[in-house]
Amino acid sequence: MDTTLGRPVSQTRSFATIALIELWERFGYYGMQALIVYFMVQRLGFDDTRATLVWGAAAALIYVAPAIGGWIGDKVLGTRRSMVIGAIILSLGYALMGIPTTNTWLTFSALGVIVVGNGLFKPNTANLVRKIYEGNDSKIDSAFTIYYMAVNVGSTVSMLATPAIKDHVNANYAGELGWHVAFAFCSVGLWVGLITVGLLRRTIGHIGSPPDNLPLNWGKLALVLGGGVLAVIASAFILEYGWLARLFVYLAGLVVLGIFIHLIRTSQASERSGLVAALVLTLQTVFFFIFYQQMSTSLSLFALRNVDLDFSLFGSHLFTWSPAQFQALNAIWIMLLSPVLAWVYTRASNAGRDLSIAAKFALGFAVVAAGFFTYGFAGAFAVNGLTSSWIMIAGYGLYSLGELLVSGLGLAMIARYVPARMGGFMMGAYFVAVGISQYLGGLVATMASVPQGMTDPLQTLPIYTSLFNKLGLAAIACTLIALAALPLMRRLTAEHHTHR
């Protein structure tokens, strides 16, 4: 129990404050993600290829930015302060998306603002949770489990809400205003989170990095904000010009590989096996996120063109979803499967049969393969080019289980295999690697680009099912590679444990 202003503050109350603002931030982000590709295709008039590549590049930037934002929080402005500033910048980004215009530069600039805001917000909220329970590994594990659930509560609500808001406003008002009202709604979520933190600020007043305990350095803040403006401009240009996005991704890839090689070469012999193991698993994670990026690209456009939006059971109509709302299935399945998987892990551990992280990665890829084959085979049961909405539920269920087995263990892998003194560097490198794979996922999604003007579901269906079957085969290949790497991983893990 910590004290602020002489009054006790429990760890639980401190954690609840951070979890609440994280919930509202994810509410804003996923509400935007649910609509962004549709917005570019239906409102801005982009073809499928441009829309998926732009969003792939934006997602890459959004994931790379925390590598810098975490350092700013630790060394420059303070962890707690950076979180709040990041949330304010994010709310501005979504508000800019709410301006009713089809100007692409404004859209790309707004996405650039979101990149900067996320870079400051995302790593520093996680660091605050870590600081609350520092020194208590079991509580940290439990806290991050609940934290992950908060993320999915926020994202589920927003991914169901923003498409409904967009459809309702568009149906009742002219000018396609619904898109912009829905994006503005994302901004409101951030302000609810900020007000929550403002009201509960006493509960986290004692947590943070050394700069948080000093008066705000206005010069440093001006430098950070100035750098943020330059980052927004750079982001807009990267999103506008495809060759710049590719160059950025290639450079980021070289940087990540360089960090790994440098750390492995300069590490002590006792640390080397753990770092090599982390490198192998990080490479596998990159492949997973290529599959993950399909959710907001090829799968979302598949739902738009080739899914029967009505849910019926035994001939009775239950309800109807809009295409964008199907993305909420991922978060819903994550919430349902997380406690089940946690129970399975506990039982297996108690019985002495717990699978290694490497084995769980291999199993995760196998489940992802089954998910994509589910979508691929859906074409055989389509009626007039439209597949059943229940197919989406089944496919997302398998896909989400794969996510929990691979992505859900990614940060745990870094914590397990990387020495504490390198943790910050490696966490940043991990996020950069994930960002790279988000762009590559957008690149893969262009294989299912539908020519502009093609609206017949019978023509678009084979385009999507062909990609999904290929992704299923690619996931099987990843499974085989992960299985082949198991002996190496067992040896590296054994060496790592002997030196701990």
Side-chain angles (χ1 to χ4, degrees), residues 26 147-157 330-332 334-335:
R26 292 289 87 182
Y147 188 71
Y148 199 62
M149 291 289 284
V151 167
N152 286 285
V153 169
S155 61
T156 300
V157 173
N330 178 236
I332 292 169
I334 292 289
M335 287 190 288

Side-chain angles (χ1 to χ4, degrees), residues 36 49 60 63 150 153 223 238 253 264 266 287 374 383 390 409 430 450 455 496:
I36 189 66
T49 297
Y63 270 87
V153 169
L223 282 173
I238 287 171
I264 291 169
T266 58
F287 283 105
T374 299
V383 178
W390 297 104
L409 295 171
Y430 175 81
V450 170
T455 57
H496 174 64

Side-chain angles (χ1 to χ4, degrees), residues 17-268:
T17 301
I18 304 300
L20 278 171
I21 192 170
E22 173 69 15
L23 183 154
W24 284 109
E25 186 277 326
R26 292 289 87 182
F27 175 95
Y29 178 77
Y30 281 104
M32 179 272 294
Q33 180 186 283
L35 294 177
I36 189 66
V37 171
Y38 296 121
F39 176 72
M40 287 190 275
V41 170
Q42 296 179 304
R43 178 83 168 117
L44 300 183
F46 290 7
D47 59 33
D48 286 9
T49 297
R50 188 181 184 193
T52 52
L53 283 179
V54 165
W55 175 237
L61 290 167
I62 285 166
Y63 270 87
V64 167
I68 302 166
W71 176 80
I72 290 172
D74 280 342
K75 306 295 184 183
V76 183
L77 294 179
T79 307
R80 188 173 66 248
R81 206 174 274 142
S82 295
M83 177 190 74
V84 172
I85 293 169
I88 293 170
I89 293 172
L90 279 168
S91 70
L92 175 61
Y94 298 128
L96 289 172
M97 294 285 290
I99 297 173
T101 177
T102 55
N103 184 291
T104 55
W105 280 105
L106 180 63
T107 300
F108 294 161
S109 297
L111 286 171
V113 174
I114 292 167
V115 166
V116 172
N118 188 75
L120 287 170
F121 182 91
K122 194 67 181 168
N124 291 301
T125 45
N127 280 339
L128 285 175
V129 173
R130 202 169 283 115
K131 289 174 187 295
I132 291 170
Y133 296 105
E134 209 155 26
N136 191 328
D137 287 349
S138 61
K139 281 197 173 184
I140 286 176
D141 288 347
S142 300
F144 272 104
T145 301
I146 299 168
Y147 188 71
Y148 199 62
M149 291 289 284
V151 167
N152 286 285
V153 169
S155 61
T156 300
V157 173
S158 64
M159 284 192 286
L160 292 174
T162 54
I165 290 169
K166 182 265 293 182
D167 290 342
H168 174 76
V169 175
N170 277 352
N172 291 281
Y173 300 92
E176 295 285 308
L177 283 174
W179 298 101
H180 306 284
V181 172
F183 289 134
F185 185 64
C186 297
S187 181
V188 171
L190 264 298
W191 281 107
V192 172
L194 282 164
I195 290 168
T196 302
V197 166
L199 293 173
L200 301 175
R201 63 187 179 277
R202 188 181 70 85
T203 62
I204 57 171
H206 58 287
I207 309 159
S209 56
D212 279 309
N213 300 320
L214 301 172
L216 175 62
N217 186 315
W218 291 97
K220 289 181 178 178
L221 176 61
L223 282 173
V224 169
L225 294 178
V229 171
L230 292 177
V232 169
I233 295 169
S235 297
F237 273 91
I238 287 171
L239 298 179
E240 175 64 30
Y241 300 107
W243 66 269
L244 263 180
R246 285 191 296 276
L247 179 63
F248 169 78
V249 168
Y250 297 151
L251 287 175
L254 289 173
V255 167
V256 171
L257 197 57
I259 289 173
F260 265 107
I261 292 171
H262 171 71
L263 291 178
I264 291 169
R265 285 183 61 191
T266 58
S267 64
Q268 300 169 19

Side-chain angles (χ1 to χ4, degrees), residues 259-260 263 275 278 282 414 418 422-431:
I259 289 173
F260 265 107
L263 291 178
L275 285 169
T282 298
I414 294 291
V418 174
M422 302 178 187
F425 283 111
M426 292 302 296
M427 207 67 83
Y430 175 81
F431 277 117

Side-chain angles (χ1 to χ4, degrees), residues 256-314:
V256 171
L257 197 57
I259 289 173
F260 265 107
I261 292 171
H262 171 71
L263 291 178
I264 291 169
R265 285 183 61 191
T266 58
S267 64
Q268 300 169 19
S270 60
E271 299 170 336
R272 204 158 293 149
S273 56
L275 285 169
V276 174
L279 174 58
V280 172
L281 292 175
T282 298
L283 289 172
Q284 291 184 27
T285 303
V286 167
F287 283 105
F288 171 79
F289 273 97
I290 292 173
F291 299 121
Y292 180 86
Q293 184 67 357
Q294 303 312 305
M295 181 177 71
S296 57
T297 53
S298 61
L299 271 173
S300 67
L301 292 173
F302 175 65
L304 175 68
R305 296 173 177 134
N306 287 102
V307 174
D308 182 350
L309 304 176
D310 292 328
F311 284 86
S312 299
L313 192 62
F314 303 121

Side-chain angles (χ1 to χ4, degrees), residues 354-369:
D354 193 20
L355 289 175
S356 66
I357 284 184
K360 288 170 184 171
F361 271 40
L363 180 59
F365 280 121
V367 174
V368 167

